[in-house]
Amino acid sequence: MTAYAVNPNKGSEDGMGWNFILQAASNSKVIAYTRKNNRNDIESYQASNPDSRYANIDFRYFDWPKWMILWKKGPMLSLIYYYFWQLTLAVHIRKKNVDCDMVHNLNFHNDWTPSFLWMVGKPLVWGPVGHHPFIQRKHLSFYGARSWFSDRLLWFLKNVFWNFDLFLWVTKRSASHILCMNEDAAKALRLQPEQYTVCPSVATEDVAITGCPKNDFTVISAGRFVPLKGFDMTLKAFASFYHGLSAEQKTIVRLHLVGSGGFEGKLKELSAQLGIAQAVVWSSWMERAELQKLFASSSAFLFPSHEGAGMVVAEAMMHALPVVCWDNSGPGKFVPIGTELTVP
């Protein structure tokens, strides 16, 4: 299994990488390749959290020399590095003649960069590959022309890869099976029904839900403060709700935002303009265990994200929180079927 992102102390893509590998090790021997910067977290977690499945996992760490990746800064350059990391890793595995029965390209989760594990000459499983839907212009206007241009440039590049990348075509033809996070990924890749299975990577642990007394009404939302997550709509929706309350009700209602990102300052300005600054609590990223405590003490989860996934949706539902989100191919598909809390 190759997983660019693996970290048992994090959620989202890193947590998914860890849990897929751990589940595979329940029934199989696993050689797991990941980046060197994940090593300390993996080994320290294993030392403090014993599990019999570790005996079935052989973690191996692969990266380019540091002097060769000084340019890797920001999401776009990281994706470029990921593309060539996969290529050189496949060459490395082939050169080392790694003894395995099948290969599985696990993450990053995107449907527009290919896997190169077909070079190993073993049956290939690819995915879950993800897909973010097209974001309408009106949902990008708050973030400025630069964000709109960046989003449209990325969408253009995705279409170039979907239509013209020879290696992506080879990956689709070579894969024994493809796991897709949602149907949109299968459509973008033009897959036939027998080629894929819909397998969301959004999941979390089972926990015993216990009643948590609440003296207030806290709406929580978590994620990076970037256009994809739609936090401007979070604030506008909460403001509409908040200003319809009585003065007494307002004293026990608040919005708790957990995250960080380049638009934090702009979002705080918006909260002031909407007249809700006094009711909004801001917290930077925190350890996953601390975030779980916040979920447990909250009353609703507001997540107008445009992404095709959203691990925090599963974590919110783990704590029996009702989730308010878009009716899209991401969060809209992970909430209970028939919920009336999805918005067109």
Side-chain angles (χ1 to χ4, degrees), residues 7-10 18-19 22 38-51 53-54 205 288:
N7 193 317
N9 296 317
K10 295 181 179 179
W18 168 258
N19 281 292
L22 202 62
N38 297 319
R39 183 169 194 158
N40 288 341
D41 283 316
I42 290 171
E43 292 182 349
S44 63
Y45 184 89
Q46 287 180 316
S48 57
N49 297 272
D51 192 309
R53 290 174 291 185
Y54 297 159
E205 304 89 343
R288 189 163 176 268

Side-chain angles (χ1 to χ4, degrees), residues 15-276:
M16 170 271 173
W18 168 258
N19 281 292
F20 258 79
I21 290 169
L22 202 62
Q23 292 300 326
S26 299
N27 304 297
S28 310
K29 295 285 187 181
V30 179
I31 299 171
Y33 277 95
T34 187
R35 295 195 60 208
K36 291 180 180 179
N37 64 346
N38 297 319
R39 183 169 194 158
N40 288 341
D41 283 316
I42 290 171
E43 292 182 349
S44 63
Y45 184 89
Q46 287 180 316
S48 57
N49 297 272
D51 192 309
S52 60
R53 290 174 291 185
Y54 297 159
N56 283 340
I57 307 173
D58 175 10
F59 274 106
R60 301 182 186 182
Y61 302 92
F62 177 84
D63 252 328
W64 291 7
K66 287 186 177 180
W67 63 269
M68 289 182 64
I69 53 176
L70 295 175
W71 53 270
K72 190 184 78 66
K73 298 176 181 178
M76 186 63 71
L77 293 179
S78 293
L79 281 168
I80 293 173
Y81 176 64
Y82 170 64
Y83 190 104
F84 290 103
W85 180 85
Q86 288 196 98
L87 171 60
T88 51
L89 175 58
V91 172
H92 171 82
I93 293 172
R94 183 181 175 90
K95 185 177 179 180
K96 292 288 185 180
N97 197 26
V98 175
D99 184 24
C100 63
D101 297 295
M102 62 177 288
V103 289
H104 186 164
N105 189 133
L106 198 54
N107 68 21
F108 270 175
H109 297 128
N110 71 66
D111 59 356
W112 55 282
T113 56
S115 170
F116 293 91
L117 288 182
W118 46 267
M119 296 172 60
V120 180
K122 301 289 184 178
L124 166 64
V125 175
W126 181 33
V129 291
H131 179 90
H132 293 326
F134 183 80
I135 303 176
Q136 297 176 24
R137 186 186 186 108
K138 64 182 178 181
H139 289 298
L140 293 170
S141 60
F142 170 80
Y143 299 95
R146 184 175 179 179
S147 293
W148 175 86
F149 178 77
S150 296
D151 180 82
R152 293 304 185 254
L153 175 61
L154 181 58
W155 190 257
F156 170 77
L157 290 175
K158 287 180 180 181
N159 277 275
V160 169
F161 278 88
W162 286 327
N163 291 290
F164 301 109
D165 189 336
L166 174 62
F167 293 120
L168 187 62
W169 181 84
V170 172
T171 302
K172 291 189 292 182
R173 290 294 300 268
S174 302
S176 298
H177 202 67
I178 300 170
L179 305 177
C180 296
M181 273 200 219
N182 51 46
E183 287 287 350
D184 282 3
K187 290 176 182 177
L189 291 168
R190 303 186 185 96
L191 301 179
Q192 297 301 312
E194 66 274 9
Q195 288 181 277
Y196 74 95
T197 300
V198 173
C199 174
S201 70
V202 172
T204 190
E205 304 89 343
D206 285 330
V207 296
I209 299 294
T210 56
C212 180
K214 300 176 178 69
N215 297 317
D216 58 11
F217 186 87
T218 299
V219 179
I220 187 172
S221 194
R224 292 174 293 125
F225 297 141
V226 295
L228 178 68
K229 301 290 185 176
F231 275 98
D232 60 311
M233 189 59 66
T234 302
L235 291 169
K236 292 172 184 175
F238 178 79
S240 177
F241 161 69
Y242 181 80
H243 291 308
L245 301 175
S246 67
E248 183 180 359
Q249 289 172 328
K250 288 179 180 178
T251 63
I252 61 169
V253 170
R254 64 178 178 173
L255 171 65
H256 198 145
L257 300 182
V258 181
S260 60
F263 287 92
E264 183 173 347
K266 191 172 176 65
L267 289 167
K268 287 182 175 178
E269 289 178 7
L270 177 61
S271 70
Q273 293 167 11
L274 294 169
I276 57 172

